[in-house]
Amino acid sequence: MKIRIEWNYKTPKGLETVFQSEELPIAHALLIAEDLERTKRTKKVVYTDEHDSTWTIKEMKQYLKGLETEPHNITVYFDGGFDVETSSSGLGCVIYYEQSGKSYRLRRNAPSSELISNNEAEYAALYLCLQELELLNVHHLPVKIVGDSQVVINQLNGEWPALESNLSSWADRIDDKLNELGVQPEYKLVPRKSNAEADRLATQALNGVEILATSELKAE
């Protein structure tokens, strides 16, 4: 999450003006906010996040403290596969995150017989990832979303229009879920070889092998 700071500044001779910062990581915003208050020359300090919600310094401190025990520093990998002969799909999801000073990897896949194309399977795989984030109680955090689908990544980041109605519907579902969770996505398009783990999970789902596992990652 990023915070903007707006404050009224008063000089010793009584001149006043208003300053506004750029968007800052909440930890940096907190340090600057505390320093501003120590000057004794600021008043009407307002802290605003990307959703135009206002925060107090106490709330920012509580938020940072909560990050120690809640999932954060999250990267999501997704991939979907579609078998034309069987009209079945496989969805793959990998989530890397940190919690309570440890690093974890969550792997999940799922089959589907309700999709009609590979692009739709890619969207469904990403939606599966967002459902897992919700189960992890991820909220109001930046999340890096990584995939090898040009269609999904470019449509969601606004570079390509979603002209097909079924894909447009999936894009809306993704946006609605992100807004519901307060997640700020950062989309990254990668080559397929850089998305091998999610691709493998999607293929396993197509072959009838379902996986749901979370493992702790040890420092090398």
Side-chain angles (χ1 to χ4, degrees), residues 86-107:
T86 62
S87 294
S88 58
S89 302
L91 317 178
C93 162
V94 185
I95 301 175
Y96 289 89
Y97 64 97
E98 296 176 11
Q99 186 174 15
S100 300
K102 298 180 180 180
S103 298
Y104 295 92
R105 178 186 63 183
L106 182 153
R107 296 184 300 142

Side-chain angles (χ1 to χ4, degrees), residues 30-45:
L30 182 58
L31 291 173
I32 292 172
E34 290 178 330
D35 189 63
L36 285 171
E37 291 203 340
R38 281 195 292 268
T39 68
K40 305 296 185 181
R41 295 177 183 171
T42 59
K43 61 180 181 178
K44 296 181 181 178
V45 183

Side-chain angles (χ1 to χ4, degrees), residues 30-153:
L30 182 58
L31 291 173
I32 292 172
E34 290 178 330
D35 189 63
L36 285 171
E37 291 203 340
R38 281 195 292 268
T39 68
K40 305 296 185 181
R41 295 177 183 171
T42 59
K43 61 180 181 178
K44 296 181 181 178
V45 183
V46 179
Y47 313 104
T48 309
D49 63 23
E50 299 103 316
H51 302 282
D52 291 327
S53 299
T54 57
W55 296 62
T56 65
I57 287 183
K58 182 179 179 180
E59 288 170 336
M60 287 193 287
K61 288 181 177 179
Q62 290 174 337
Y63 176 82
L64 287 176
K65 186 175 182 180
L67 285 184
E68 297 174 4
T69 57
E70 295 181 2
H72 58 282
N73 195 19
I74 301 163
T75 300
V76 167
Y77 292 82
F78 71 94
D79 195 52
F82 181 74
D83 189 322
V84 177
E85 293 183 0
T86 62
S87 294
S88 58
S89 302
L91 317 178
C93 162
V94 185
I95 301 175
Y96 289 89
Y97 64 97
E98 296 176 11
Q99 186 174 15
S100 300
K102 298 180 180 180
S103 298
Y104 295 92
R105 178 186 63 183
L106 182 153
R107 296 184 300 142
R108 168 83 193 276
N109 67 2
S112 177
S113 59
E114 301 175 354
L115 309 174
I116 63 173
S117 70
N118 192 76
N119 287 334
E120 195 172 5
E122 294 276 10
Y123 266 112
L126 177 51
Y127 193 79
L128 177 68
C129 293
L130 300 186
Q131 290 176 312
E132 289 300 318
L133 292 182
E134 186 172 22
L135 292 173
L136 286 171
N137 196 32
V138 172
H139 59 90
H140 297 92
L141 285 174
V143 173
K144 183 178 291 185
I145 297 176
V146 183
D148 58 49
S149 169
Q150 288 188 338
V151 170
V152 172
I153 296 295

Side-chain angles (χ1 to χ4, degrees), residues 174-192:
I174 297 292
D175 286 340
D176 288 345
K177 180 59 72 174
L178 289 169
N179 289 332
E180 178 185 334
L181 299 177
V183 164
Q184 303 100 50
E186 176 190 341
Y187 295 108
K188 183 177 181 181
L189 180 65
V190 296
R192 187 172 183 178

